[in-house]
């Protein structure tokens, strides 16, 4: 296609703007991201704990998480993988969007300081503590077929069915089960784009703390990741601690770590101001 | 570009103008050919089982089944129920993405600044086109991006860079079930997925001949 001089000028202007965004997005955020939380770091004050529960291997858990509350997910066995779904409690058509989470932050890898975005350009969850950094945004959870292929005949619980069950208990259905994010799933890609499993990056006692940035519905599934090469189906228990997170400071890490995060939180603020105005 | 066999029966042959949505049912056994007529145009695509729209395209299952972060010849395009919806049988380009999803007015504000909110975007196309079939925003899952170049490095860095597709590059998929196909011929001008200049594409649906 032959472009006019004016069209060429528009393309060049768009390209210059993109290069500026890319430079800021890729060069600024990694400098600001902190190291992983030490496994004996970040104790939760006893009076901040709202609820504590152990979820057996293979099972799922559903909870509401009010804005400002957090959940700590602890890999007590060291062999667990924990997948999540999240919906806006006031309007579940807004939900976790793994693609926007990856694309907008210029990174497929999640760690302390990153946020998990909705399809509406808002921050749903902030990763306020994370000992691991070995999480999967690309491949998602297991289903009946992947379990059968890995473990053979048998009745093995899987993440897809867990999420359909969780959605059902929230008054939602399988149309509302979207791609998930899997914690403690050390998936990486090699230089050819092939997936690799790095089991050595998963440790007993690893935890990740997710702070709700809107009132949310959360579903958690505790099933082995489909790329986990272990031939035996033996998911361990996980512990969940729901607690009241600290008051937000003006310089809160997850809100200020990048220009993208800052704008997502500005969108949250516009939305919350509107919600308050209607009340 | 490899010619469609003379014995084939052309079910549909249409041009999707720059920036607009499109949809059609592709029957089991039919081939869908998407042609990047002018090159460097990202084609955002979704599939739903025609018999049950609750079963739909799953990018994560597709990547897992493929064992790789990219989609190319031989890739099985998987559903949320773990079934093969279509098989990719030809690919003259070699670089397609299914991790970056679609642009939206809302995600554009986060990625490129609030001033980009009122620009036409793929999610707008998808919601409008899906509504013709009784579907809504909650049914719009992250999609396939044909001809979109999204390199991912071992450190997890992720970006959208200039497409490498040349004029006439194409992909072909054989449907293994009846599927509804939704396309947004990406209007994005904030990143290089379409060279900052959206162009028309061609879509052909055909059935193999008897010989």
């Amino acid at each position: 296609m032959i472009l006019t001089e004016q069209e060429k000028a528009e393309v060049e202007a768009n390209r210059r703007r993109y290069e500026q965004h890319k430079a800021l997005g890729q060069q600024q955020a990694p400098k600001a991201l902190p190291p992983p939380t030490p496994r004996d770091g970040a104790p939760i004050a006893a009076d901040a704990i709202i609820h504590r529960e152990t979820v057996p291997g293979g099972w799922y858990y559903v909870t509401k998480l009010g804005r400002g509350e957090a959940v700590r997910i602890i890999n007590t066995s060291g062999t667990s993988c924990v997948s999540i779904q999240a919906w806006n409690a006031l309007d579940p058509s807004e939900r976790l969007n793994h693609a926007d989470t990856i694309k907008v932050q210029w990174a497929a890898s999640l760690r302390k300081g990153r946020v998990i975005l909705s399809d509406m350009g808002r921050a749903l969850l902030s990763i306020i503590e994370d000992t691991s950094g070995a999480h999967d945004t690309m491949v998602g959870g297991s289903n009946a077929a992947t379990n059968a292929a890995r473990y053979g005949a048998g009745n093995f619980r899987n993440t897809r069915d867990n999420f359909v069950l969780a959605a059902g208990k929230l008054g939602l259905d399988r149309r509302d089960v979207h791609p998930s994010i899997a914690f403690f799933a050390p998936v990486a890609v090699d230089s050819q784009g092939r997936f690799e499993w790095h089991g050595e990056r998963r440790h007993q006692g690893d935890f990740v703390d997710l702070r709700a940035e809107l009132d949310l519905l959360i579903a958690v599934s505790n099933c082995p990741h489909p790329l986990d090469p272990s031939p035996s189906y033996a998911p361990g228990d996980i512990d969940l601690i729901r607690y009241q997170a600290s008051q937000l400071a003006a310089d809160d890490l997850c809100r200020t770590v990048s220009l993208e995060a800052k704008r997502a939180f500005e969108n949250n603020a516009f939305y919350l101001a509107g919600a308050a105005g209607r009340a | 570009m490899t010619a469609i066999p003379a014995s084939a029966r052309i079910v549909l042959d249409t041009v999707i103008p720059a920036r607009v949505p499109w949809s059609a049912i592709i029957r089991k056994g039919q081939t869908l050919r998407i042609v990047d007529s002018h090159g460097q145009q990202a084609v955002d695509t979704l599939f739903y089982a025609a018999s049950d729209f609750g079963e739909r395209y799953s990018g994560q299952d597709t990547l897992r089944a493929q064992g790789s972060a990219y989609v190319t010849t031989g890739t099985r395009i998987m559903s949320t129920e773990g079934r093969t919806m279509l098989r990719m049988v030809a690919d003259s380009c070699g670089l397609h993405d299914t991790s970056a999803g679609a642009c939206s007015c809302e995600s554009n504000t986060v990625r490129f600044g609030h001033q980009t909110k009122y620009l036409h975007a793929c999610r707008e196309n998808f919601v409008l086109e899906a509504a013709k079939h009784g579907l809504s925003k909650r049914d719009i899952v992250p999609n396939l991006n044909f001809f979109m170049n999204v390199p991912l490095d071992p450190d997890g860095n992720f970006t959208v860079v200039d497409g490498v597709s040349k004029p006439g590059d194409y992909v072909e998929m054989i449907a293994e079930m009846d599927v509804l196909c939704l396309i947004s011929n990406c209007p994005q001008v904030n990143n290089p997925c379409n060279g900052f200049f959206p162009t028309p594409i061609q879509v052909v649906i055909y059935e193999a001949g008897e010989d």
Side-chain angles (χ1 to χ4, degrees):
Chain A
M1 180 162 282
I2 297 167
L3 306 188
T4 66
E5 289 305 314
Q6 186 183 341
E7 287 166 341
K8 283 182 192 166
E10 286 173 17
V11 166
E12 282 315 306
N14 287 334
R15 181 178 295 282
R16 275 195 301 277
R17 196 173 62 239
Y18 177 75
E19 294 299 336
Q20 286 170 357
H21 285 300
K22 182 177 168 184
L24 287 170
Q26 291 197 315
Q27 291 163 19
Q28 180 165 320
K31 284 182 191 165
L33 284 173
T37 309
R39 268 191 291 284
D40 61 353
I44 303 171
D47 62 356
I49 294 177
I50 300 165
H51 180 72
R52 182 170 192 138
E53 187 150 338
T54 296
V55 180
W59 278 85
Y60 66 98
Y61 180 74
V62 176
T63 193
K64 288 189 175 178
L65 210 54
R67 182 164 66 94
E69 293 175 4
V71 63
R72 172 168 295 182
I73 305 170
I74 309 172
N75 191 357
T76 43
S77 68
T79 58
S80 293
C81 161
V82 181
S83 303
I84 66 160
Q85 298 266 301
W87 301 266
N88 179 337
L90 293 177
D91 173 8
S93 76
E94 176 174 11
R95 68 274 308 266
L96 182 158
N97 189 297
H98 84 304
D100 281 359
T101 297
I102 296 171
K103 175 173 62 183
V104 166
Q105 296 180 100
W106 309 85
S109 51
L110 291 180
R111 51 182 292 186
K112 180 175 177 175
R114 293 290 187 202
V115 294
I116 294 172
L117 295 167
S118 79
D119 62 296
M120 294 298 286
R122 292 188 273 262
L124 289 187
L125 292 158
S126 292
I127 302 175
I128 56 174
E129 302 291 350
D130 177 22
T131 65
S132 162
H135 312 304
D136 165 46
T137 55
M138 303 284 289
V139 177
S142 61
N143 59 39
T146 64
N147 275 356
R150 174 74 67 203
Y151 311 111
N155 190 15
F156 306 110
R157 300 188 63 93
N158 69 79
T159 285
R160 169 75 186 168
D161 288 347
N162 278 348
F163 282 150
V164 173
L165 287 163
K169 292 186 179 178
L170 294 165
L172 306 172
D173 69 28
R174 80 198 226 271
R175 292 167 59 198
D176 298 295
V177 176
H178 277 216
S180 57
I181 287 173
F183 295 102
F184 318 121
V187 175
V189 297
D190 66 14
S191 57
Q192 308 302 308
R194 305 288 303 176
F195 293 122
E196 295 176 332
W197 180 264
H198 289 272
E200 77 285 359
R201 295 182 59 197
R202 198 165 54 166
H203 304 279
Q204 188 167 27
D206 269 338
F207 60 85
V208 60
D209 289 23
L210 306 174
R211 183 182 66 206
E213 302 298 351
L214 299 173
D215 289 346
L216 298 180
L217 308 172
I218 302 279
V220 170
S221 169
N222 177 20
C223 290
H225 191 275
L227 298 187
D228 186 335
S230 172
S232 58
Y233 183 89
D237 293 352
I238 56 167
D239 278 354
L240 300 178
I241 303 174
R242 183 174 152 213
Y243 67 95
Q244 185 62 50
S246 311
Q247 286 283 329
L248 281 173
D251 63 348
D252 180 83
L253 170 70
C254 295
R255 291 182 171 218
T256 55
V257 73
S258 67
L259 293 175
E260 289 79 12
K262 182 169 167 286
R263 288 191 289 260
F265 278 101
E266 286 166 357
N267 285 342
N268 283 41
F270 299 149
Y271 175 75
L272 290 166
R278 283 195 301 275
Chain B
M1 178 163 54
T2 307
I4 293 170
S7 57
R9 185 177 83 85
I10 305 288
V11 176
L12 181 139
D13 184 348
T14 191
V15 170
I16 306 178
R19 298 183 177 85
V20 310
W22 172 90
S23 63
I25 299 279
I26 300 150
R27 297 291 173 194
K28 181 178 178 179
Q30 292 179 343
T31 298
L32 168 68
R33 174 182 287 204
I34 302 173
V35 185
D36 188 358
S37 307
H38 301 274
Q40 282 202 334
Q41 173 64 23
V43 182
D44 291 44
T45 306
L46 279 169
F47 298 102
Y48 299 80
S51 61
D52 171 11
F53 290 158
E55 177 175 5
R56 66 276 306 266
Y57 174 68
S58 170
Q60 290 188 328
D61 286 289
T62 298
L63 291 187
R64 193 202 59 248
Q66 168 76 355
S68 142
Y70 308 111
V71 171
T72 187
T73 305
T75 297
R76 290 182 293 145
I77 293 171
M78 304 295 288
S79 79
T80 47
E81 305 300 323
R83 299 200 295 161
T84 303
M85 305 185 87
L86 307 97
R87 267 185 306 112
M88 202 158 163
V89 293
D91 172 18
S92 70
C93 171
L95 281 172
H96 314 280
D97 160 76
T98 192
S99 301
C103 56
S104 69
C105 296
E106 293 79 16
S107 69
N108 283 349
T109 67
V110 182
R111 197 159 171 236
F112 300 117
H114 298 298
Q115 76 282 0
T116 61
K117 182 174 176 184
Y118 296 105
L119 291 174
H120 191 37
C122 281
R123 181 173 287 267
E124 310 282 298
N125 277 344
F126 277 141
V127 172
L128 279 173
E129 196 66 26
K132 295 178 184 171
H133 304 276
L135 298 168
S136 71
K137 182 175 87 76
R138 67 195 275 236
D139 299 293
I140 307 300
V141 289
N143 54 285
L144 257 164
N145 292 304
F146 291 112
F147 311 112
M148 189 158 116
N149 189 3
V150 183
L152 178 64
D153 72 21
D155 292 330
N157 293 312
F158 187 96
T159 188
V160 179
V161 299
D162 289 56
V164 299
S165 51
K166 304 173 296 298
D169 269 343
Y170 67 102
V171 290
E172 279 193 344
M173 287 149 279
I174 293 182
E176 296 211 347
M177 63 172 77
D178 291 357
V179 295
L180 168 66
C181 173
L182 253 57
I183 285 178
S184 167
N185 191 17
C186 188
Q188 175 70 262
V189 290
N190 288 291
N191 76 43
C193 67
N194 48 30
F196 305 101
F197 191 82
T199 47
I201 60 167
Q202 180 191 13
V203 171
V204 184
I205 301 171
Y206 67 91
E207 292 173 350
E210 292 300 314
D211 57 351

